[in-house]
Amino acid sequence: VAILEQDGQAVIVARATAQPVALLDRTWLILADQQGVGEALAAGLRDRGEQVALAYAGSSFASDTNGTFRINPSDLADYQRLLSHLPRLHGVVHLWSLETAVERTAPLGQVAAMEGGSGSALRLVQALLAANVEPAGLWLVTQGAQAVTPDDLARGHAQAGLWGLGRVIALEHPELRAVCVDLDGRTAPSDQARELQALLLSSGDGEVHEGKVALRQGGSYVARLARGSEPALTGLALPDGPYRLEIPQRGLIDNLVLHPLERRPPAVDEVAIAVHATGLNFRDLLNVLGSYPGDAGLLGGECAGIVTAVGSGVTHLAIGDRVLAMVSGSFAPYVTVAATLVLPIPPGVGVHEAAGIPAAFGSAWYGLITLAGIQAGDRVLIHAAAGGVGLAAVQLAQAVGAEVFATASPSKWALLRSMGVRHCYHSRTTAFATDILADTDGQGVTCILNSLTGPGFMEANLRLLAPGGTLVELSKRDAWSAAEVAAVRPDVRYAPFDLAAIVVAAPQVGRALLEQVVDGFRRGVLRPLPTRYISITEAVAAFRMMQQGQHVGKIVLTAVPERRAVTIRPDATYLITGGLGGLGLAVARWLVEQGARQLLLVGRRGPSSAVQEALEALAAQGATITVMQGDVSDRDRMRQILDAVDPAAPLAGILHSVGVLDDGAIPQQTWERFVPVLAPKVQGAWNLHALTEGMALDWFVLFSSAASLLGSRGQANHAAANAWLDAFAAYRRAQGLPALSINWGAWAEIGAAAALVDAAGAFTERGMGAIRPREGIAAFAHLLEQGGTQVGVVPVDWSRFLERNGATDGFTAGMRPLVAAHTPVVPAAATPVLLDVRRQIELAGPTERPGLLLGVLRRAVARVLGLTHPERIDAT
């Protein structure tokens, strides 16, 4: 299925799958990894009749008769010799970044790790250019380098420099048709290869529609720029400071609000958690609608995040641990909870995925294993099997060897059958009882996990339950009493339960249950559920989705960082690397104006006379300015500098603003020219991270460049360095640590690019403007409060920029929404997500907007009325 644009409208085109066609004149070159992705990709292409040459990294050039080569990744001549063996080269797939291994404590370890990816790609491109090869596509592949979905951890950030290099390749040499692709490292190599192959073959000869693509769980994500720093016109209003999702008046989902909340430090045997995500459960929906029998308490009963504080008596958890928890009131950015109900997230499970584990798997385990004691050979009926508890129950029943019978809406049967469930029935009628009895020769099932209510459903359940069977009841509305069940079937065991009430009454039972579930994930018996992630500001839409039964698996609300005014404290120290440069000094002045009294400025050289005069002016305002010389890429020297911080004024904020330029077109570049550019930014940032990882910093800001966001001819090394910073910010945020990467355009008057700005203060030929220092500092102060991870601040005329910078290559697809909207000079946020409805309307042309809006209104009316065909609603 392809989504195309035709006359401004999105058109979905389905193509029939044809038999493989032999294309013996097409040869693919795959620079293959050792994980098996390259081998699996080669096998898939060969099955389609394509020719494939595999090249592995080795000590010197070698080849065999099977089209397999080995070359020295550091020797340009080996690349050239390789290409001489492949005269009809069609496509090139670079997978060597997947081999990136980082020596965390080695001098320049981060930079050295980049050579296998960015360095080899540089030499590959130089060889292609020298051989005049113009492939249908040059695919530069990374693995887990981009934070795209909420549970991405960006552990492959060391590979991310390739994305900055790829953008410059596209600018300087569009004939190579470069595309950056990020694989999901959590899936098997065979799955990664299959998704990559589908992407390669979807492009066609010479057609490159997107320059940045991430493959996640069978889906493709593309990068888009969106205007930043705008107040939200949809969703719940976000208050200043901490908050919690509440329902002041039950009955209507629209009454949900985000209410200000005071944070509470942990007491004895408690921990505080920075919540990344919270699972939405049917109990929460009933609570909001006022349909829950009795007091349902606060909204939210499970979450996952990072431990930020530990009370006395807690020994099994530490600050920084990734954890999941059972806790009431968990729709909030912070919770404080009894440590008994908090466990480390099992390896291989993302922090956002973990938010959907406790309630679903806890309920399924307690019902099927603890109460029913199902065993191999049992026949188990799981109602609403495509929901969170249902899918968890399917996994558990299969794990013990039971035969699964399932009810769900027919549209969800395909998912269940893909899991090996052979018996699927409709969940909206009671016909399942007759059908199951027929399919079991009248024997029925030995256990039922029930969550269905309504006339006739309980009678149908009891009719098909085998003698001596167990009926486990999850329903909270209209559930039968034990006496009512016994009156119809005195021979069966009836086991209703409320997991939340059990956990409150007996926390140790809840902990034992969690431990069993987590152990199941550790052993690989259990796996995370299909999950729909929705921002907590869109909670109303999430609750409606659950009410309409439109989802499968879990709905998880992702926390939005609290909006707060940044307090610059007089009793804290603020570190600025590159602190004697123009940008560093500008921020230093702002910090002093905001009340900072302890600044630590680091530079490779001592201050000039002009800089010394500026420092004295700051000191005259009451600030203590400490200047220390050192190379930020020297870990030992940076440790000495940080050890000098006065404990009475602990470190509270870090600004990493160093940068070195060594411009040159790609054919003239060498890795030796890359290293001095990469070292201060990349290794310097890593050193600061490693040496302060355990400190409670208020902010950690990286001054990146628009070169990694938009590309810049002649600055491949600079773009690669800053692309690493951008991904590294996402990596820190995934660890629960503060991080913000700002992709600055050129500053006027100060900064490394100031000399390039013409007298009018603009790169008029490139469509770029310059940032005045006063505007830049205001933007910096604003962004500190926004809680973002990567934001570009770029004065640019988008139409002119694309006109002068390759408006047809795939990388510019991410910029076109801004061009379509005739965006003025504003900050732009790098947001690798699909556009929402409001954004689509904003970015559409005036004649297209009425049709888009009408579609939105039709879908809204259909949702409220429960209709399945919004296009049939009369527009009048």
Side-chain angles (χ1 to χ4, degrees), residues 746-763:
W747 288 55
E749 305 171 29
I750 59 176
L756 304 177
V757 181
D758 63 21
F763 305 106

Side-chain angles (χ1 to χ4, degrees), residues 336-356:
T336 301
V337 57
T340 301
L341 297 173
V342 182
L343 265 70
I345 295 173
V349 177
V351 69
H352 288 80
E353 290 177 317

Side-chain angles (χ1 to χ4, degrees), residues 109-285:
Q110 295 290 326
V111 176
M114 296 177 68
E115 183 175 6
S118 297
S120 63
L122 173 66
R123 298 181 188 103
L124 172 64
V125 168
Q126 290 172 335
L128 291 170
L129 295 175
N132 292 317
V133 176
E134 295 187 8
L138 168 61
W139 310 88
L140 304 173
V141 184
T142 56
Q143 187 182 77
Q146 303 296 320
V148 181
T149 61
D151 58 331
D152 282 346
L153 301 179
R155 290 193 177 113
H157 60 87
Q159 306 170 31
L162 190 60
W163 282 54
L165 173 60
R167 177 66 186 114
V168 177
I169 292 171
L171 282 175
E172 294 189 21
H173 297 283
E175 71 275 12
L176 296 180
R177 300 177 178 89
V179 180
C180 290
V181 183
D182 192 51
L183 304 178
D184 188 348
R186 295 163 299 185
T187 59
S190 58
D191 294 331
Q192 296 178 49
R194 184 173 60 254
E195 293 184 9
L196 180 57
Q197 176 179 315
L199 180 65
L200 300 183
L201 298 179
S202 70
S203 297
D205 288 342
E207 297 180 20
V208 177
H209 302 295
E210 297 289 343
K212 297 180 179 180
V213 183
L215 303 178
R216 296 290 186 274
Q217 298 179 345
S220 299
Y221 291 77
V222 297
R224 288 294 180 265
L225 292 177
R227 292 184 63 179
S229 304
E230 294 182 346
L233 299 183
T234 62
L236 302 179
L238 195 66
D240 291 329
Y243 59 83
R244 184 167 62 202
L245 184 68
E246 296 183 355
I247 183 77
Q249 184 176 357
R250 289 176 172 82
L252 292 176
I253 292 175
D254 286 323
N255 290 342
L256 285 167
V257 297
L258 295 176
H259 193 272
L261 178 71
E262 289 285 334
R263 290 181 61 179
R264 181 174 67 82
V268 177
D269 295 330
E270 288 186 329
V271 296
I273 302 172
V275 176
H276 284 204
T278 303
L280 175 60
N281 293 293
F282 198 65
R283 176 191 180 98
D284 299 312
L285 176 62

Side-chain angles (χ1 to χ4, degrees), residues 474-560:
L474 291 173
S475 298
K476 302 300 183 292
R477 292 186 307 176
D478 304 324
W480 282 25
S481 67
E484 289 173 314
V485 172
V488 178
R489 287 290 303 272
D491 62 306
V492 302
R493 183 180 174 214
Y494 183 52
F497 75 96
D498 183 335
L499 183 63
I502 292 171
V503 170
V504 171
Q508 290 300 332
V509 173
R511 178 174 180 81
L513 195 61
L514 271 184
E515 288 175 338
Q516 291 169 315
V517 168
V518 168
D519 182 63
F521 279 90
R522 286 199 188 98
R523 293 186 289 111
V525 175
L526 303 177
R527 58 194 180 278
L529 301 173
T531 303
R532 178 72 177 267
Y533 299 100
I534 301 175
S535 169
I536 196 170
T537 59
E538 301 299 328
V540 171
F543 274 76
R544 284 212 177 104
M545 182 180 296
M546 174 168 280
Q547 183 185 39
Q548 296 291 333
Q550 298 171 357
H551 67 294
V552 295
K554 287 288 291 190
I555 297 174
V556 166
L557 299 191
T558 58
V560 175

Side-chain angles (χ1 to χ4, degrees), residues 763-780:
F763 305 106
T764 53
E765 290 190 0
R766 295 176 54 198
M768 304 289 287
I771 303 167
R772 297 181 180 88
R774 177 176 55 81
E775 297 171 336
I777 291 300
F780 171 78

